[in-house]
Amino acid sequence: MKKELLFGAIIGGLSYLAYIGYDLTPLLIIGVMGVVLLVISKRNGLLKINSYQKVVEKSKFKFEDIGGQETPKQELKEALEFLIKSRQASQMGIRPLKGILLTGPPGTGKTLLAKAAAGYSDAVFLATSGSEFIEMYAGVGAQRVRGLFKTARENAVKQKKNRAIIFIDEIDVLGGKRGSHTSHLEYDQTLNQLLVEMDGLTNNEDIQILLIAATNRPDLLDTALLRPGRFDRQVKVDLPDKAGRLAILKLHTRNKPLDSDCNLAEIASETYGFSGAHLESLANEGAILALRDKSGTIKQLHLKEAVDKIILGEKLGNRANRQVLHRVAVHEAGHALVSEVLNPGSVQQVTVTSRGNALGYVRHNQKEDQQLYTKSELEKQIMILLAGAISEDALLQERSTGAANDFQKAMQLTEQIVSTGLSRLGVVSVEKIPKSEYYLICQEILKDLEEKTKKVIDDNKDTLTRIINILKAKEKINGTELRRLMEVDREEEAAIIA
Ligand code: ATP
């Protein structure tokens, strides 16, 4: 309405000036130039100071809607008590908590935690991302930071709340070490403004503001951001453990028709290394596969297939030709057999179905959170990696290019043995020993393990052949079936000895 009035007044004014004989040309030129400037600056985002306003939300999200992550949830709740009871905190002379930094791999629920924090503390929630503040024009980022805090206050007043939580995702984009960017003046100004705003947060304001930021790379952040009095709480949001994975799966399947044969605990134990986002996608893929199968409910086999799909990608339509299938079966059976012989119970599944870039693969039961490895554990891993090519050697008299990836990983583990002082050379500095000696010691380790792997394969050729035949017929064998197959052999052996 105001705009229309202004527009009418301008037209009226101009008409009057024209009527009394005033030359309007200079005014018209200035007007046109003004409109052009306005359009250009709008297009370049110069006036888009409050672009994040779109995401001001009344957060109804609760901590109960987040699976696992018990420690981060607890830490956040504790920190939020200071915000909720800010008056008591101020009476005790406690300075307000200004920032909480959530760090951890992608998809682990950092954004969800920030949303839940807003719900928990009944605060206005503003979410934005570090990249929203980066413009090539100097000063725009800083202006946007000022605008962000202002919007938070204004929205809290509008919604009659006395708290606001500002969430900045990818804070590393805006809070990287100063001086490290090429156009560093603009970056530095933006970060400086953020520091100024954070320093300005006190207990005495009507509206308490808490900044929650998230990053996958806390190492990139400027130390000024991390010093006490700014982001003085760092909460680590790690990949979920088995119990966490089960809780997340339960959350994401609660609105889906699960069959009675579904065993989410089994899926949770098979998904080591999955983030919350992976698990959400798994539940979704399971439902899609069930729909494709025209099944009214999601069965365990759909969920298992979804796990494979997420690890390796979509199943490829074209089945490998018979020769290739045979070689892939020989290769994968070799990995699986040696894995079971060296670490009984370690194989979860072997398949020869082409998916993504893989022609076949063996999925292992992962031990949770193993941080240290002994020399023999590393050697076993190398033997399992070498087993595919050695199995091809033993049964097809020739290796193929399919083992390139295995060899690369085996080489990395061998180098780890040497660099961590576990080789015959003892504690050495890898940089200081001659390259030729380093090469020779790696070769010696690999040759020795190759011999040992060959022996395991030769001693179990019959079992290997049986695994290959089943793989070719059924395309996959699960760990239990594989162990049963190997048991038969052991029983026969025991009977012969008796
Ligand atoms: P990024 O670092 O990539 O921004 P993030 O850690 O902020 O990721 P979110 O955006 O919070 O991750 O999570 C992405 C999606 O993954 C969520 O929308 C949710 O579906 C799912 N998710 C992640 N963690 C959990 C969890 N703990 N419980 C339930 N769902 C989760």
Side-chain angles (χ1 to χ4, degrees):
M1 193 62 192
K2 269 183 198 163
K3 264 189 204 162
E4 281 90 22
L5 275 177
L6 188 69
F7 197 61
I10 292 173
I11 301 258
L14 288 177
S15 314
Y16 176 70
L17 288 175
Y19 176 72
I20 59 171
Y22 192 83
D23 182 7
L24 291 182
T25 322
L27 277 180
L28 285 175
I29 292 174
I30 293 171
V32 169
M33 277 167 63
V35 170
V36 169
L37 268 176
L38 198 73
V39 169
I40 291 177
S41 50
K42 262 198 174 170
R43 191 171 289 170
N44 289 326
L46 284 173
L47 297 179
K48 227 178 59 182
I49 294 163
N50 293 333
S51 54
Y52 39 74
Q53 279 193 3
K54 289 178 217 125
V55 284
V56 174
E57 294 168 14
K58 279 189 189 170
S59 183
K60 292 214 172 64
F61 200 78
K62 295 198 186 82
F63 280 115
E64 290 77 56
D65 298 321
I66 302 175
Q69 306 296 9
E70 298 308 329
T71 315
K73 277 192 221 167
Q74 198 49 39
E75 281 190 53
L76 257 183
K77 280 186 193 167
E78 271 172 31
L80 291 170
E81 291 303 321
F82 290 110
L83 187 70
I84 297 168
K85 297 180 184 150
S86 64
R87 197 154 297 154
Q88 282 119 298
S90 151
Q91 278 165 2
M92 295 293 289
I94 300 173
R95 63 168 168 73
L97 185 70
K98 296 176 181 179
I100 301 176
L101 183 66
L102 306 176
T103 63
T108 43
K110 297 183 288 299
T111 311
L112 297 185
L113 282 165
K115 269 193 189 178
Y120 184 79
S121 56
D122 191 29
V124 165
F125 183 62
L126 255 88
T128 183
S129 156
S131 50
E132 292 265 353
F133 297 87
I134 301 309
E135 282 291 345
M136 53 199 258
Y137 306 99
V140 175
Q143 212 176 341
R144 285 190 185 163
V145 170
R146 263 196 304 278
L148 177 64
F149 281 78
K150 193 166 156 246
T151 315
R153 288 193 182 95
E154 283 170 3
N155 276 279
V157 172
K158 246 189 244 162
Q159 293 182 27
K160 296 194 177 59
K161 301 210 169 164
N162 53 4
R163 303 176 195 118
I165 288 185
I166 296 176
F167 175 62
I168 305 184
D169 204 359
E170 301 171 16
I171 183 87
D172 43 296
V173 179
L174 131 80
K177 292 193 173 77
R178 277 174 288 185
S180 59
H181 296 280
T182 39
S183 61
H184 60 85
L185 200 64
E186 162 59 0
Y187 278 86
D188 295 356
Q189 274 188 13
T190 310
L191 175 56
N192 285 340
Q193 188 57 44
L194 183 68
L195 299 178
V196 168
E197 293 291 343
M198 287 184 86
D199 289 346
L201 301 176
T202 63
N203 260 340
N204 305 327
E205 286 187 65
D206 294 340
I207 291 153
Q208 297 290 314
I209 294 186
L210 174 70
L211 186 63
I212 300 184
T215 178
N216 310 323
R217 297 289 311 269
D219 53 310
L220 295 181
L221 293 182
D222 194 285
T223 43
L225 263 181
L226 302 174
R227 79 142 169 80
R230 291 199 181 122
F231 283 112
D232 30 19
R233 291 266 159 134
Q234 273 202 39
V235 177
K236 213 158 178 261
V237 191
D238 259 330
L239 289 173
D241 58 8
K242 190 170 155 191
R245 293 198 294 274
L246 179 59
I248 298 172
L249 280 171
K250 280 186 182 159
L251 275 175
H252 287 291
T253 49
R254 65 185 167 184
N255 61 349
K256 296 184 173 66
L258 282 191
D259 200 276
S260 55
D261 82 337
C262 277
N263 182 349
L264 293 182
E266 190 189 355
I267 301 292
S269 65
E270 288 184 10
T271 44
Y272 174 83
F274 274 40
S275 67
H278 282 124
L279 294 166
E280 188 272 334
S281 168
L282 187 158
N284 197 44
E285 288 297 338
I288 292 172
L289 291 168
L291 190 72
R292 243 188 241 168
D293 262 7
K294 299 196 173 57
S295 159
T297 53
I298 304 171
K299 298 201 165 72
Q300 186 75 348
L301 72 104
H302 298 129
L303 294 177
K304 286 196 165 194
E305 173 119 20
V307 175
D308 290 348
K309 187 170 171 191
I310 286 168
I311 297 177
L312 292 156
E314 184 69 85
K315 223 190 246 184
L316 299 182
N318 50 336
R319 207 162 178 259
N321 71 36
R322 272 181 47 202
Q323 252 176 329
V324 175
L325 184 71
H326 181 61
R327 186 172 283 279
V328 175
V330 170
H331 185 100
E332 299 306 333
H335 284 310
L337 177 99
V338 174
S339 182
E340 272 301 319
V341 171
L342 299 180
N343 300 319
S346 60
V347 174
Q348 206 173 78
Q349 182 167 286
V350 197
T351 73
V352 290
T353 313
S354 312
R355 271 181 192 278
N357 290 329
L359 289 170
Y361 72 98
V362 177
R363 187 138 50 81
H364 296 274
N365 285 316
Q366 298 282 352
K367 283 189 203 151
E368 296 282 329
D369 303 330
Q370 186 165 359
Q371 282 153 350
L372 292 173
Y373 292 90
T374 61
K375 182 181 176 190
S376 58
E377 281 170 334
L378 289 177
E379 286 179 342
K380 282 179 186 174
Q381 282 189 37
I382 298 173
M383 286 173 71
I384 296 165
L385 285 164
L386 297 176
I390 293 174
S391 174
E392 286 185 55
D393 240 353
L395 297 184
L396 304 169
Q397 286 74 48
E398 202 181 15
R399 297 178 182 189
S400 67
T401 52
N405 208 6
D406 296 339
F407 290 157
Q408 210 179 349
K409 286 189 197 149
M411 199 63 207
Q412 278 166 4
L413 292 171
T414 313
E415 287 173 359
Q416 201 177 343
I417 291 183
V418 180
S419 65
T420 51
L422 300 176
S423 75
R424 175 176 60 75
L425 296 182
V427 182
V428 285
S429 157
V430 172
E431 286 84 40
K432 299 228 167 95
I433 51 172
K435 271 211 167 118
S436 54
E437 194 173 349
Y438 182 55
Y439 177 76
L440 281 178
I441 186 76
C442 289
Q443 284 304 306
E444 185 187 303
I445 296 170
L446 279 172
K447 276 266 160 329
D448 175 47
L449 293 175
E450 227 175 311
E451 285 305 316
K452 286 185 180 155
T453 314
K454 197 167 169 332
K455 182 157 184 346
V456 177
I457 299 260
D458 287 343
D459 288 350
N460 293 280
K461 248 190 188 158
D462 286 346
T463 320
L464 189 66
T465 315
R466 263 184 289 151
I467 302 173
I468 295 166
N469 290 340
I470 297 185
L471 269 180
K472 285 201 300 192
K474 281 179 49 184
E475 284 196 16
K476 67 168 126 181
I477 307 180
N478 68 35
T480 320
E481 289 166 336
L482 179 74
R483 285 181 276 284
R484 217 178 298 139
L485 212 72
M486 293 178 68
E487 269 316 308
V488 178
D489 239 25
R490 282 184 200 134
E491 276 166 22
E492 276 174 10
E493 196 182 356
I496 293 165
I497 294 167

